Amino acid sequence: MLMSSADRPAKLAYGPNGFRVLSAGHYVTCAVTGEKIPLELLRYWSAERQEPYASAEIATKRLIGQA
């Protein structure tokens, strides 16, 4: 079965001021919650850990070691 890019996760390279699409897709998966984050809504990530987060609260908890 073929998957469209809307059904496929994107692969991104996270930088301090943005991200670069390495493999086309429609979403990434939050590193903490597993929630699908549409690329157009992705606002929080760690360039150091190379992982995306669904919200500022989740990102903060992860970065201070609570998640």
Side-chain angles (χ1 to χ4, degrees):
M1 178 181 206
L2 292 176
M3 293 173 66
S4 73
S5 63
D7 299 328
R8 189 174 56 230
K11 251 187 198 179
L12 307 180
Y14 301 97
N17 299 312
F19 56 82
R20 189 167 36 105
V21 178
L22 301 176
S23 178
H26 184 68
Y27 68 91
V28 290
T29 304
C30 177
V32 176
T33 66
E35 175 183 344
K36 289 181 180 180
I37 309 163
L39 292 188
E40 63 271 13
L41 299 179
L42 179 60
R43 303 285 181 270
Y44 309 101
W45 61 82
S46 168
E48 184 177 302
R49 293 178 186 228
Q50 288 295 296
E51 52 187 32
Y53 309 111
S55 71
E57 181 182 18
I58 291 167
T60 301
K61 286 182 177 181
R62 174 73 165 163
L63 296 176
I64 62 173
Q66 293 181 355

